[in-house]
Amino acid sequence: PPAPGPLLPPLCAPACGVPPAWAARLGATGFLISKCCFPLFRAKPGKAKRVRTIFSSEQLARLEQEFARQQYLVGQERCLLASSLHLTEEQVKVWFQNRRIKWRKQSLEQQQAKLAKMGLATPQR
């Protein structure tokens, strides 16, 4: 195959500006195709990308308050909390899952710091 030439701007350069990191080289022509120009390149067929939830400070404060009370919310409790915060049960469930992971990580770091203070530190995994 011929040696690739310098990259030319994407075909949609006026709309997109600089070529994004994920732009694909189109054969030996050196042109770039940007995913923003062609919807088929955006996601795998049949899979819609979930939009990241942005929680308000009031929602976060209430979620943290409930987490401090208990680390697991199920059934009716999750349903009531979700409706009072105008969130879906799935959003509340995932928030609690992520918060438990953060809590475990913080607990482990605190334990390791205590052990290190006593000179009993173990190597991290």
Side-chain angles (χ1 to χ4, degrees), residues 11-72:
L11 298 174
C12 61
C16 299
V18 290
W22 38 256
R25 181 181 273 280
L26 179 62
T29 63
F31 283 102
L32 294 176
I33 296 177
S34 170
K35 287 183 186 177
C36 66
C37 300
F38 299 94
L40 0 141
F41 293 143
R42 286 192 186 158
K44 294 180 182 173
K47 284 199 173 187
K49 185 173 179 178
R50 190 183 64 79
V51 177
R52 182 184 175 110
T53 304
I54 306 297
F55 296 100
S56 70
S57 54
E58 293 82 15
Q59 289 171 326
L60 285 173
R62 179 72 190 281
L63 288 164
E64 287 289 351
Q65 179 185 0
E66 290 300 321
F67 184 81
R69 195 171 62 81
Q70 62 184 44
Q71 282 87 29
Y72 290 85

Side-chain angles (χ1 to χ4, degrees), residues 51-117:
V51 177
R52 182 184 175 110
T53 304
I54 306 297
F55 296 100
S56 70
S57 54
E58 293 82 15
Q59 289 171 326
L60 285 173
R62 179 72 190 281
L63 288 164
E64 287 289 351
Q65 179 185 0
E66 290 300 321
F67 184 81
R69 195 171 62 81
Q70 62 184 44
Q71 282 87 29
Y72 290 85
L73 272 189
V74 292
Q76 191 70 16
E77 291 175 320
R78 185 171 58 217
C79 179
L80 291 171
L81 180 61
S83 65
S84 72
L85 295 175
H86 306 291
L87 297 169
T88 66
E89 284 189 60
E90 181 73 14
Q91 289 170 318
V92 172
K93 183 186 97 168
V94 170
W95 186 91
F96 268 80
Q97 287 173 339
N98 291 336
R99 186 60 180 86
R100 283 191 297 270
I101 292 168
K102 180 179 176 181
W103 178 74
R104 285 186 200 111
K105 184 179 175 186
Q106 288 171 337
S107 298
L108 182 63
E109 287 171 356
Q110 287 173 354
Q111 285 178 332
Q112 288 176 342
K114 284 180 186 176
L115 288 173
K117 214 175 196 180

